[in-house]
């Protein structure tokens, strides 16, 4: 199972980026997070809109809308979509 949310610094409580997790669901009574990827500084509306989340199982690609803050210009950069490949290789 794929999970999508926000990564949070446990010490400060500050959100740090988009968190993508893979969960091992072989034993439904004991779900385990088997892999994690954090896109530091990123935000995705897919966390609030399930229609913005797209997974292509044959190519193992996850497609999400993405934005991030550019500290140099003080502006948000908005990507129409961001493709995360090879989810089976997340660490």
């Amino acid at each position: 199972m794929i999970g999508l949310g926000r990564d949070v610094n446990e010490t400060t409580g500050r959100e740090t980026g988009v968190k993508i997790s893979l969960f091992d669901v072989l034993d439904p009574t004991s779900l385990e997070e088997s892999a994690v990827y954090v896109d530091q500084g990123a935000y995705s509306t897919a966390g609030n809109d399930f229609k913005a989340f797209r997974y292509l199982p044959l190519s193992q690609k996850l497609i999400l809308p993405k934005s991030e803050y550019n500290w140099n210009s003080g502006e948000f950069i908005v990507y129409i979509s961001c493709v995360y490949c090879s989810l089976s290789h997340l660490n």
Side-chain angles (χ1 to χ4, degrees):
M1 177 172 61
I2 300 171
L4 174 69
R6 301 287 297 154
D7 185 61
V8 176
N9 181 303
E10 292 181 16
T11 305
T12 65
R14 183 175 164 256
E15 293 182 358
T16 62
V18 172
K19 180 178 178 181
I20 302 168
S21 300
L22 290 181
F23 291 90
D24 180 351
V25 294
L26 290 176
D27 179 0
T29 63
S30 178
L31 300 179
E32 273 188 46
E33 188 176 51
S34 59
V36 175
Y37 174 74
V38 176
D39 191 348
Q40 293 290 332
Y43 173 79
S44 178
T45 56
N48 301 319
D49 180 4
F50 72 92
K51 293 180 182 178
F53 183 99
R54 176 83 175 172
Y55 179 66
L56 306 174
L58 292 178
S59 60
Q60 292 188 338
K61 292 181 181 175
L62 174 64
I63 304 169
L64 307 172
K66 173 184 168 180
S67 61
E68 56 188 48
Y69 187 74
N70 182 325
W71 292 99
N72 294 328
S73 68
E75 299 176 342
F76 278 98
I77 300 170
V78 178
Y79 302 90
I80 293 173
S81 64
C82 185
V83 179
Y84 299 91
C85 300
S86 300
L87 293 179
S88 61
H89 294 40
L90 295 180
N91 294 329

